[in-house]
Amino acid sequence: MFDLRFTMYKKIKATQLFDGYRFRTGGVLVLNDDGTVADILPEADAGDDVQAFEGIVSPGFINCHCHMELSHLKGLIAEKTGLPAFVQQVVKKRRLDETIVLQAIDAAENEMMENGIVAVGDICNGTDSISQKEKKNLYYHNFIEALGSDPAVAEKNFEIFEKVYVEFAERFGGKNVSITPHAPYSVSETLLQKIVQHEGSLLKSIHNQETADENEWFKNKTGGFVEMFRQMKINNSEFVPSGKSSLQSFIPHFLPNQELILVHNLYTSEDDLQFAKTLPNNLYWCFCPNANQYISNTMPDVPMFVKHNCTIVLGTDSLASNHQLSIWEEIKTIQKFYPEIELEQLMQWATLNGAKALQMDEKLGSFEKGKKPGVIHISTTGKITGLL
């Protein structure tokens, strides 16, 4: 599935060979003709015709959170305005000519491929991305994003999202499509229950605690969301604050066997992480640091999540909130703010952890026999090239 326009090598070694778990010393990656991993051998046992690369050779990157449908908004949304103002800008500006939207989606996918991304968890509000995904250049899990705070229209809203779900499921199979809530603050409890009980994929993706206003809303029904909802003419009259953080209020509604990708997590506390440990759900904590910088000039407390042994993955968010779609650039930003986090750990988040989160680790994420994860080379200057 990874882009085969690049030169193919059957035996590869590198200054640093990352296998999805760790950097291997002295190993040679051996591939079958179709790119399937045959083995990693000691160099002494690998024989001739070994291609050597300076820098890192790694499985392809996994982008666990993107909005391809917003690619046409690149450069159109003001930076560092905070989330409420950002959301309002997106709502006002997202409707453009279909040709422009489709061209931007095509360019966005090409950019991800050029940056070594092989699989994407993509948020879908409509069907704009279907034609691009039918080309099968990348693997996708399609999260059909539902939202609506007024319980009176929950049934009507859900019917709209379910129609989008059906269109994706008919083309890509139900395993690769989920109906998922946008965020804790943007779905009524009535709509949430319809999402939770839907018979599609058990994998969900949720924008979580992206702003302090989210927790303030759930605790007291106060803060910046009051004005945002007023300006957007959203009816929240039946919402009752829980007195708890949004995570502690929202996540217990999900079924025990549902897996959740929680995205952004800027205002997640240690109390929230302790609470999360009591839940039966398998949780993945997704960071999109460049989007956080773009929207609100903030960073998640990544070391806190490391300390609590959370399973971490990485995403790019959209070109409405990012200057590029590159997991490597997300890694570099985390390194800039938290240099104590080892590159080996960051690479695991970007490869194997991401593949597990999207339920694609049987074929992607690591150099293990029988997998076909794509092979990328990161040069000493940071240039990324697909080798297979």
Side-chain angles (χ1 to χ4, degrees):
M1 181 74 69
F2 188 62
D3 187 15
L4 297 181
R5 294 172 295 179
F6 302 105
T7 305
M8 182 179 293
Y9 302 98
K10 294 182 182 178
K11 298 178 185 178
I12 297 170
K13 71 174 183 177
T15 312
Q16 294 178 287
L17 179 65
F18 182 75
D19 65 5
Y21 297 88
R22 62 192 182 279
F23 285 110
R24 301 280 289 257
T25 302
V28 174
L29 175 65
V30 182
L31 304 166
N32 295 326
D33 288 343
D34 66 351
T36 303
V37 176
D39 209 343
I40 296 180
L41 298 174
E43 189 170 356
D45 299 334
D48 299 328
D49 301 322
V50 176
Q51 301 289 326
F53 294 88
E54 294 290 327
I56 301 169
V57 166
S58 166
F61 287 141
I62 313 296
N63 182 0
C64 283
H65 184 74
C66 190
H67 298 250
M68 287 181 67
E69 290 176 349
L70 301 181
S71 299
H72 60 287
L73 294 179
K74 182 176 182 179
L76 299 183
I77 307 295
E79 296 185 48
K80 299 177 174 51
T81 63
L83 184 66
F86 172 82
V87 170
Q88 291 174 65
Q89 288 185 80
V90 170
V91 171
K92 290 178 181 178
K93 297 180 179 180
R94 70 176 297 164
R95 298 300 175 192
L96 288 180
D97 180 79
E98 182 183 17
T99 301
I100 294 174
V101 172
L102 295 179
Q103 288 174 344
I105 289 172
D106 178 76
E109 184 180 74
N110 280 319
E111 180 177 347
M112 285 193 281
M113 293 166 65
E114 289 170 0
N115 286 322
I117 292 168
V118 296
V120 185
D122 193 43
I123 304 298
C124 310
N125 298 115
T127 58
D128 289 340
S129 64
I130 283 181
S131 59
Q132 189 66 36
K133 291 167 180 173
E134 286 183 321
K135 298 176 183 178
K136 297 184 178 180
N137 294 320
L138 298 176
Y139 294 99
Y140 288 95
H141 190 99
N142 300 287
F143 294 103
I144 311 306
E145 185 178 74
L147 66 165
S149 300
D150 186 350
V153 294
E155 183 74 39
K156 180 180 178 181
N157 283 346
F158 188 76
E159 289 177 1
I160 295 171
F161 306 128
E162 192 167 35
K163 286 180 180 178
V164 177
Y165 168 86
V166 169
E167 288 200 49
F168 274 88
E170 286 178 347
R171 289 167 170 80
F172 308 115
K175 180 182 177 182
N176 300 311
V177 190
S178 309
I179 297 184
T180 196
H182 165 257
Y185 60 84
S186 60
V187 292
S188 66
E189 188 168 338
T190 305
L191 180 56
L192 177 61
Q193 287 306 311
K194 291 183 174 296
I195 296 167
V196 168
Q197 298 297 330
H198 187 257
E199 295 181 353
S201 171
L202 296 172
L203 178 62
K204 309 294 182 183
S205 176
I206 307 148
H207 295 81
N208 178 61
Q209 296 172 307
E210 195 174 352
T211 173
D213 289 320
E214 181 176 319
N215 286 325
E216 181 65 22
W217 177 254
F218 274 86
K219 289 177 180 178
N220 304 307
K221 202 176 180 179
T222 56
F225 280 0
V226 175
E227 178 62 16
M228 180 181 76
F229 291 139
R230 186 192 69 79
Q231 291 191 18
M232 297 176 71
K233 298 179 181 180
I234 293 174
N235 179 17
N236 296 106
S237 59
E238 296 191 23
F239 174 78
V240 178
S242 66
K244 302 176 183 179
S245 73
S246 65
L247 184 145
Q248 295 183 41
S249 305
F250 190 74
I251 301 302
H253 288 281
F254 289 91
L255 303 178
N257 60 345
Q258 289 178 330
E259 297 192 357
L260 311 176
I261 301 175
L262 303 177
V263 184
H264 295 305
N265 315 301
L266 283 164
Y267 293 89
T268 304
S269 68
E270 289 208 67
D271 285 344
D272 289 328
L273 295 185
Q274 293 289 3
F275 177 82
K277 291 177 183 178
T278 69
L279 298 170
N281 308 89
N282 195 10
L283 302 180
Y284 294 91
W285 304 86
C286 181
F287 297 128
C288 308
N290 286 324
N292 304 147
Q293 288 287 290
Y294 190 107
I295 296 171
S296 54
N297 199 29
T298 51
M299 279 291 290
D301 186 356
V302 181
M304 178 182 71
F305 290 83
V306 174
K307 183 178 76 171
H308 284 271
N309 296 313
C310 296
T311 305
I312 296 172
V313 299
L314 301 177
T316 62
D317 215 333
S318 74
L319 285 173
S321 60
N322 205 331
H323 296 288
Q324 67 280 310
L325 301 177
S326 169
I327 292 298
W328 183 245
E329 290 297 323
E330 304 299 326
I331 288 174
K332 286 164 62 178
T333 297
I334 295 175
Q335 286 182 310
K336 174 184 173 182
F337 284 88
Y338 305 114
E340 68 273 22
I341 300 178
E342 297 289 340
L343 178 59
E344 184 173 79
Q345 191 168 32
L346 291 163
M347 292 290 291
Q348 185 175 354
W349 301 349
T351 55
L352 184 58
N353 281 14
K356 288 180 177 179
L358 296 184
Q359 300 178 349
M360 299 180 183
D361 53 304
E362 288 187 3
K363 53 196 173 192
L364 304 178
S366 61
F367 292 142
E368 296 180 81
K369 188 173 182 179
K371 288 190 178 185
K372 193 175 179 180
V375 184
I376 62 173
H377 170 228
I378 307 166
S379 74
T380 54
T381 63
K383 179 179 172 57
I384 297 176
T385 306
L387 302 180
L388 190 67

